[in-house]
């Protein structure tokens, strides 16, 4: 069964159509890039999967079920902005996640915090933007979820941490799980992607295997992306 | 050896070439155990499915073989290894010929230049 299925999925905000009749099937065991310029509908799609938004028309299913408390228990979501209680220490946040999510592994989280030299006694809001992003990603990836939705996970971190994060995604890779990564920085992650989706003004202009795309276009996914979305 | 990937060529094909070079250079000697897929994928910074695909193809070519419980190994079959080295080297020679032809050199000039280089080594 597909991990995420969208049929005729549409989301409007007033007169603005953020997603326009999208059909999509995303299989488990794949790392998939969701690429598109700002305002193309990436975050809207992720929020619909996370049940933070409700479709205007059509439907989205997670493992064949409508989004709700049951699907959210198996879905790890990394928003594109800070979302944690920022007065807490990292230590406390790890405990909070452990209490909140049954599939959360404290050992995994603590190992990753150590690897990235993050002080567990620091208060979240006193950390730099990049470090906060790392902490949020670590907490998200320390869950054993069926679906990971990562909204711009690498936008604000330095190149060394970016490499570490990419390796984290690979090393936590679970053959049964779907990892959906939204980004406009394709070159950083294209070697990790099985498939890529191009979103443009709320519609899907491309959904293809990355290696097939590279062969067909005789260029990198990043180069092709820049061509499709040239301003 | 660093893992660097060119644009426009499927990653799995490039991984195959890198692994063949590692085998040819002795970094992965005949009979040695191959790292697990996930470790190799992390080292290369690529998707584990892509790494798996490359390893599967190397198995089909006979360069790697799997013992059901003990993991994956580099072949010790001299014939297969020799064939691999030949195909790698003819690839390099082809690239070099193409590059030199672009400079406007004739076949004879290239052969002469390569021979002269070889004698100086």
């Amino acid at each position: 069964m597909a991990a995420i299925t969208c049929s005729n999925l549409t989301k409007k905000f007033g007169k603005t159509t953020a997603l326009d009749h999208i059909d999509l099937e995303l299989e488990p065991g794949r790392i998939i890039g969701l690429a598109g310029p700002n305002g193309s509908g990436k975050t809207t799609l992720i929020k619909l999967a996370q049940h933070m938004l409700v479709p205007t028309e059509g439907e989205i299913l997670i493992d064949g079920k409508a989004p709700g408390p049951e699907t959210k228990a198996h879905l790890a979501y990394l928003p594109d902005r800070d979302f944690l209680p920022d007065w807490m220490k990292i230590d406390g946040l790890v405990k909070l996640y452990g209490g909140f999510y049954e599939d959360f592994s404290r050992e995994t989280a603590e190992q990753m915090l150590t690897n990235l030299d993050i002080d567990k006694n620091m208060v979240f809001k006193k950390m730099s933007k990049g470090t906060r992003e790392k902490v949020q990603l670590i907490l998200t990836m320390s869950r054993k979820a069926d679906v990971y939705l990562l909204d711009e996970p690498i936008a604000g971190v330095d190149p060394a941490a970016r490499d570490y994060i990419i390796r984290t995604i690979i090393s936590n890779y679970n053959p049964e799980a779907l990892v959906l990564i939204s980004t406009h920085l394709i070159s950083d992650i294209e070697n990790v992607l099985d498939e890529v989706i191009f979103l443009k003004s709320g519609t899907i202009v491309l959904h293809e295997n990355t290696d097939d795309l590279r062969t067909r276009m005789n260029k990198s996914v990043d180069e092709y992306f820049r061509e499709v979305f040239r301003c | 050896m660093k893992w660097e990937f060119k644009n426009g060529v499927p990653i799995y094909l490039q991984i195959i070439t890198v692994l063949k070079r590692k085998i040819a250079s002795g970094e992965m000697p005949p009979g040695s155990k191959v790292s697990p897929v996930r470790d190799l994928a992390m080292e290369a910074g690529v998707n584990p499915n892509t790494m798996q695909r490359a390893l599967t193809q190397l198995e089909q070519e006979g360069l790697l073989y799997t013992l059901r419980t003990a993991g994956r190994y580099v072949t010790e079959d001299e014939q297969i290894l020799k064939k691999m080295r030949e195909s790698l080297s003819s690839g390099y020679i082809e690239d070099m010929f193409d590059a030199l032809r672009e400079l406007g050199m004739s076949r004879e000039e290239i052969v002469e230049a390569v021979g002269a280089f070889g004698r100086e080594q």
Side-chain angles (χ1 to χ4, degrees):
Chain A
M1 191 197 300
I4 296 184
T5 314
C6 303
S7 6
N8 208 20
L9 183 67
T10 303
K11 180 66 190 176
K12 291 181 182 167
F13 298 105
K15 279 184 182 159
T16 313
T17 305
L19 282 180
D20 196 359
H21 300 90
I22 280 185
D23 291 307
L24 202 57
E25 272 201 21
L26 306 180
E27 299 296 327
R30 317 281 283 168
I31 302 176
I32 303 179
L34 184 60
N38 300 324
S40 55
K42 303 189 295 287
T43 299
T44 302
L45 178 60
I46 285 176
K47 284 186 172 170
L48 285 162
Q50 169 69 6
H51 199 42
M52 291 169 73
L53 291 172
V54 184
T56 311
E57 211 183 301
E59 67 173 2
I60 181 165
L61 300 175
I62 314 295
D63 288 326
K65 299 181 203 84
E70 198 193 335
T71 62
K72 279 170 103 163
H74 306 288
L75 193 150
Y77 167 54
L78 176 70
D80 61 348
R81 56 197 63 186
D82 291 349
F83 60 96
L84 297 166
D86 62 4
W87 46 269
M88 285 182 78
K89 288 182 181 175
I90 304 313
D91 205 18
L93 289 170
V94 171
K95 280 186 195 136
L96 180 77
Y97 257 65
F100 211 79
Y101 295 109
E102 269 184 32
D103 58 6
F104 183 79
S105 161
R106 245 174 101 164
E107 298 77 64
T108 308
E110 279 172 10
Q111 184 62 53
M112 286 198 265
L113 289 168
T114 310
N115 289 349
L116 283 177
D117 276 327
I118 296 172
D119 180 2
K120 283 190 289 181
N121 293 313
M122 276 271 270
V123 172
F124 188 72
K125 71 173 161 197
K126 293 198 173 152
M127 302 182 122
S128 72
K129 181 176 188 291
T131 309
R132 290 202 303 271
E133 284 195 14
K134 288 178 209 168
V135 169
Q136 298 186 137
L137 184 82
I138 287 171
L139 293 172
T140 310
M141 293 311 293
S142 297
R143 290 182 55 195
K144 277 270 162 264
D146 295 334
V147 176
Y148 295 86
L149 301 173
L150 312 178
D151 200 353
E152 299 282 357
I154 48 173
V157 302
D158 55 86
R162 196 169 294 168
D163 286 349
Y164 179 81
I165 286 168
I166 288 167
R167 273 185 280 130
T168 303
I169 293 170
I170 299 171
S171 66
N172 288 329
Y173 168 82
N174 159 5
E176 256 91 74
L178 164 70
V179 182
L180 184 65
I181 308 174
S182 98
T183 186
H184 47 244
L185 302 167
I186 300 189
S187 61
D188 287 329
I189 59 160
E190 79 164 83
N191 293 349
V192 180
L193 301 178
D194 286 298
E195 300 168 25
V196 68
I197 300 164
F198 284 5
L199 267 182
K200 194 176 193 176
S201 315
T203 58
I204 292 167
V205 291
L206 177 123
H207 177 196
E208 192 168 349
N209 249 306
T210 44
D211 261 354
D212 293 348
L213 180 68
R214 291 164 69 96
T215 314
R216 188 164 66 84
M217 290 296 158
N218 201 19
K219 54 182 65 141
S220 71
V221 178
D222 183 52
E223 284 174 306
Y224 185 58
F225 177 81
R226 285 163 199 267
E227 225 176 84
V228 171
F229 294 104
R230 180 163 293 145
C231 298
Chain B
M1 218 175 278
K2 242 194 123 200
W3 299 78
E4 274 170 8
F5 299 110
K6 285 186 294 211
N7 294 339
V9 182
I11 305 283
Y12 84 96
L13 289 178
Q14 301 191 56
I15 293 173
I16 288 172
T17 308
V18 174
L19 290 171
K20 283 182 175 171
R21 276 165 50 198
K22 283 177 186 281
I23 293 171
S25 72
E27 197 181 320
M28 288 168 62
S32 66
K33 194 165 184 201
V34 180
S35 307
V37 175
R38 189 184 300 254
D39 294 3
L40 280 173
M42 271 172 65
E43 190 191 316
V46 303
N47 187 304
N49 292 327
T50 311
M51 184 56 73
Q52 180 63 52
R53 188 173 175 190
L55 294 176
T56 304
Q57 179 150 339
L58 288 171
E59 274 177 8
Q60 280 163 2
E61 291 179 27
L63 282 162
L64 304 179
Y65 64 95
T66 302
L67 293 179
R68 203 179 307 164
T69 50
R72 194 180 266 116
Y73 294 84
V74 180
T75 186
E76 289 172 276
D77 185 326
E78 222 7 89
Q79 280 303 107
I80 294 176
L81 289 167
K82 187 162 170 263
K83 225 177 89 193
M84 176 201 73
R85 275 192 291 270
E86 283 166 1
S87 90
L88 274 181
S89 70
S90 63
Y92 285 125
I93 293 169
E94 205 181 307
D95 289 348
M96 185 185 69
F97 255 75
D98 288 347
L100 294 177
R101 276 221 177 86
E102 264 178 47
L103 295 179
M105 288 172 76
S106 69
R107 198 180 68 89
E108 290 71 26
E109 283 171 326
I110 296 171
V111 171
E112 169 52 31
V114 171
F117 184 83
R119 285 189 294 275
E120 280 164 24
Q121 288 300 293

